[in-house]
Amino acid sequence: MRTAPTILHLDMDAFYASAEQASKPSLRGKAVVVGGLGPRGVVATASYEARAFGVHSAMPMAQARRLAPNAAYLVPRFGLYREISEQVMGLLRTLSPLVEPLSLDEAFVDLEAGGVAWDEESARLAGVRLRADIRAVTGLTGSVGLAASKMLAKIASEEAKPDGLVLIRPGTERALLGPMPVRTLPGVGPATGDHLRRAGITTVDEIAEAGEDELVRLLGKAHGHGLYAIALAHDERPVVAEREAKSVSVEDTYDVDLHDRLRIGLEVQRLADRCVRRLREAGLSGRTIVLKVRRYDFSTLTRSDTLRGPTDDPAVVREATARLLESVDTTGGVRLLGVGVSGLADYTQEDLFAQARLAAGEAPEEEAPQTQQAESADVPVEEEPAPAERIWRAGHDVRHAEYGHGWVQGSGLGRVTVRFETPDSPPGRVRTFRTDDPRLVPADPLPLVPREPGASGTGASETTGPGLRQPPSDPARRPKSRSGGGGAATSRP
């Protein structure tokens, strides 16, 4: 068992909402809620100012609006969040080759494997330096937990929030865990927590006191043994650098049930194209195409088709999903559609349908005139709303020919309201335009921190890529074999 607190867990603070506040000066210090804004939308992230009103992740958006009616409600900008995540993960990989991402804003790091930490002092120094580098490169804050195991490091980062660092010294784990509620432990969800509560077990200490046999009786053999071990702070799980993706998928939930069969087909093909884009961005292909349909009564159907070999061809995926949709009864309406690809590989096979098309006397796909596809009423690849029907999503970036860069505050009744400001400007002015104003166009997000070499920001020296600066050189690394000096208390910076 590891004897030094060299497992680091990083969790960015209110990630989506913090990125929006950093991007929009007028929202700094104010309640911000990011998520789906339709009647069926849910909260993805709430800023700490919004959490003070009781708003939290996974809450129905309608409930959030009742709790915080004056908050700013924004649609997510996942492209921006992924770009920031890549910057953060790049900083983590300068510390160690063993980085295990859990999501866009969360990861474990084995500092000992990177030779940057071997005891409490060096681990704390690495954590402090990481937080400073993240702030310098992204303009955002992250909380860091340090411990001798993954479970404890994650608990420590939660204790550190927001914008803090907590180190759990070896030998103090049992005393720290004891009074915590059972839901603190990984694997204890609402159902297990209620089951334990009915048995009179509400804290981690009470799990340990109940004993392993009682837990096995209550929860079953596998769950009981595992829960008893982690209640005693036994967690031998290693940090795994590569978490192999099993599938790539996209899905959309619709504010109003879809009934028109043609519209449903168009949506499925649009999702197929999005899914293929994600495949290609990851350098992957797949053999099994999956269609997911959630109907008006919440019943969910899945249909799949396994091809002869892996593909990342959008035409192949669209054709497969169209065939799968033919076998699904959409009578009554559809509230959710999804398309996924599994059986992933890091290579592609030649067009699976090329031989069939050639046998039928058709031209290969790359020679097929694109104008013919665009003229087809049931191909959504080029589907774009007419200018008069443009949809302006709250929080998304725009550019005006006269006023420059801004973001959408809201739209409706043929009007769109825009606040013109940038990450490094003062709070900007608000102006309203017709939704079909030709001078107003969608825009890409601006970087939260200036990208030019030598831009201000502590902890950065030279630019190594778009928006990503190389952190300052580490002090001379010491041998990894040096043993750690454990203390007996949880500490904060």
Side-chain angles (χ1 to χ4, degrees), residues 2 6-12 85 88-111 113-114 130 145 149-151 153-154 157 186 235-245:
R2 195 181 295 255
T6 54
I7 299 295
L8 181 148
H9 181 261
L10 170 72
D11 197 353
M12 300 294 288
S85 176
V88 172
M89 297 303 165
L91 290 173
L92 297 182
R93 292 185 179 98
T94 67
L95 297 177
S96 172
L98 293 184
V99 176
E100 182 178 339
L102 304 178
S103 62
L104 289 177
D105 62 337
E106 186 180 1
F108 288 110
V109 184
D110 188 332
L111 298 176
L130 172 65
S149 70
K150 291 169 70 172
M151 176 188 72
K154 185 171 175 63
S157 71
D235 179 16
E236 300 294 334
R237 293 174 300 160
V239 175
V240 180
E242 297 295 335
R243 297 169 62 89
E244 183 178 352

Side-chain angles (χ1 to χ4, degrees), residues 383-395:
E383 181 189 15
E384 289 290 346
E389 301 172 347
R390 287 187 297 180
I391 298 174
W392 302 101
R393 291 182 169 83

Side-chain angles (χ1 to χ4, degrees), residues 74 392-398 406-411 416-419:
L74 308 176
W392 302 101
R393 291 182 169 83
H396 281 218
D397 298 84
V398 295
W407 58 278
V408 176
Q409 280 201 322
S411 64
V416 55
T417 301
V418 178
R419 185 180 289 272

Side-chain angles (χ1 to χ4, degrees), residues 77-265:
R77 296 185 295 163
F78 288 110
L80 173 65
Y81 309 149
R82 280 193 291 269
E83 181 179 348
I84 299 171
S85 176
E86 289 169 2
Q87 294 175 328
V88 172
M89 297 303 165
L91 290 173
L92 297 182
R93 292 185 179 98
T94 67
L95 297 177
S96 172
L98 293 184
V99 176
E100 182 178 339
L102 304 178
S103 62
L104 289 177
D105 62 337
E106 186 180 1
F108 288 110
V109 184
D110 188 332
L111 298 176
E112 187 175 4
V116 297
W118 48 91
D119 59 11
E120 180 181 334
E121 180 183 358
S122 57
R124 182 187 296 280
L125 177 62
V128 169
R129 187 169 58 246
L130 172 65
R131 292 178 58 235
D133 288 342
I134 288 173
R135 186 187 291 273
V137 170
T138 70
L140 305 181
T141 64
S143 295
V144 166
L146 292 158
S149 70
K150 291 169 70 172
M151 176 188 72
L152 292 167
K154 185 171 175 63
I155 290 173
S157 71
E158 190 63 33
E159 292 291 308
K161 283 188 168 293
D163 191 19
L165 182 151
V166 167
L167 182 147
I168 299 177
R169 295 173 177 168
T172 67
E173 298 94 344
R174 291 286 303 278
L176 174 74
L177 285 175
M180 291 184 172
V182 294
R183 289 289 304 276
T184 303
L185 300 179
V188 181
T192 301
D194 287 344
H195 197 50
L196 292 172
R197 180 181 52 79
R198 288 194 295 270
I201 300 172
T202 59
T203 68
V204 177
D205 262 345
E206 289 170 345
I207 290 178
E209 291 168 2
E212 190 170 11
D213 291 342
E214 176 65 7
L215 290 175
V216 168
R217 186 185 70 80
L218 289 171
L219 305 175
K221 188 173 182 180
H223 200 180
H225 285 312
L227 186 57
Y228 183 71
I230 60 175
L232 299 180
H234 296 160
D235 179 16
E236 300 294 334
R237 293 174 300 160
V239 175
V240 180
E242 297 295 335
R243 297 169 62 89
E244 183 178 352
K246 296 182 179 179
S247 65
V248 173
S249 63
V250 297
E251 61 182 42
D252 276 345
T253 300
Y254 302 97
D255 295 339
V256 179
D257 290 347
L258 305 183
H259 292 83
D260 182 74
R261 187 75 178 187
L262 176 60
R263 170 72 188 282
I264 294 170

Side-chain angles (χ1 to χ4, degrees), residues 361-424:
E362 299 178 18
E365 182 178 346
E366 61 270 21
E367 298 176 7
Q370 294 300 312
T371 54
Q372 292 181 8
Q373 289 191 353
E375 292 168 0
S376 174
D378 59 354
V379 177
V381 182
E382 302 298 331
E383 181 189 15
E384 289 290 346
E389 301 172 347
R390 287 187 297 180
I391 298 174
W392 302 101
R393 291 182 169 83
H396 281 218
D397 298 84
V398 295
R399 177 168 292 279
H400 190 273
E402 179 180 353
Y403 301 109
H405 192 92
W407 58 278
V408 176
Q409 280 201 322
S411 64
L413 301 177
R415 295 289 188 271
V416 55
T417 301
V418 178
R419 185 180 289 272
F420 290 97
E421 60 186 5
T422 64
D424 55 354

